[in-house]
Amino acid sequence: SCRNNLIPVLVDPKNDNINSYQGATIFKPNLSEFSKISGSSVKTDQDLYTEAEKFRKNMQIELLVVTLSDKGIFYSHEFGSGIKRGFPINVSDVSGAGDSVSAMLILSYLSGESMDNIITLCNITGSIACSKVGAIAVSFFDVVSNENIKHLK
């Protein structure tokens, strides 16, 4: 398996066969996908914390990241969990935003960034992707521009 060979796997789930996701390094659904896959009705932040922790442990997932649209990103891993709120933007188009967040998530995770910076970088990336029309390539230089870098620790 990938885990046995130390190959990290990021899953952005698109089917209901949750057994195929067992042992993933990073699991990144949006809130609707997470509710469906976990079989839970997530209505509050506390529901999300509770259900995410159960799901992450049962599925042996190292890092669970749930995108919350304009509300930001939730994360859960063995050292803790939290919600980092998104940045206020004028949304032009959400096409490709999830894929852009996935790319930044795996890049920053494998680079050894702190969890706080990982989620902040993902929020910035998602904001940039949503502020443009169409599915665009988000430049790393745009993400770490002077106006965005102040959000990193």
Side-chain angles (χ1 to χ4, degrees):
S1 76
C2 289
R3 182 173 271 187
N4 291 342
N5 290 305
L6 303 176
I7 299 169
V9 175
L10 180 139
V11 174
D12 188 354
K14 298 301 174 212
N15 69 53
D16 296 337
N17 181 5
I18 64 169
N19 294 328
S20 62
Y21 305 136
Q22 181 115 18
T25 311
I26 302 173
F27 188 76
K28 189 208 72 72
N30 63 36
L31 184 58
S32 174
E33 292 165 337
F34 178 72
S35 293
K36 185 176 180 183
I37 288 169
S38 67
S40 59
S41 176
V42 177
K43 303 232 185 285
T44 66
D45 287 353
Q46 188 55 51
D47 291 344
L48 182 55
Y49 279 88
T50 302
E51 294 302 321
E53 187 66 10
K54 280 195 302 193
F55 184 81
R56 187 183 61 75
K57 285 181 177 177
N58 289 340
M59 295 295 292
Q60 302 169 350
I61 292 168
E62 196 170 310
L63 173 61
L64 172 63
V65 173
V66 180
T67 55
L68 308 172
S69 289
D70 61 333
K71 293 175 182 59
I73 297 175
F74 168 85
Y75 65 92
S76 173
H77 61 103
E78 66 180 307
F79 302 112
S81 56
I83 295 175
K84 288 202 59 115
R85 299 298 173 197
F87 301 102
I89 60 162
N90 291 323
V91 175
S92 294
D93 189 344
V94 299
S95 301
D99 293 331
S100 296
V101 169
S102 291
M104 179 54 72
L105 178 57
I106 198 71
L107 173 68
S108 55
Y109 182 82
L110 293 177
S111 296
E113 282 292 332
S114 68
M115 189 56 56
D116 191 68
N117 279 350
I118 290 170
I119 303 304
T120 299
L121 286 164
C122 289
N123 267 328
I124 292 168
T125 301
S127 295
I128 293 169
C130 289
S131 68
K132 313 275 187 194
V133 176
I136 59 139
V138 176
S139 155
F140 183 75
F141 297 105
D142 287 340
V143 174
V144 296
S145 70
N146 285 335
E147 72 181 53
N148 292 328
I149 201 76
K150 65 185 174 204
H151 300 290
L152 301 174
K153 295 182 180 177

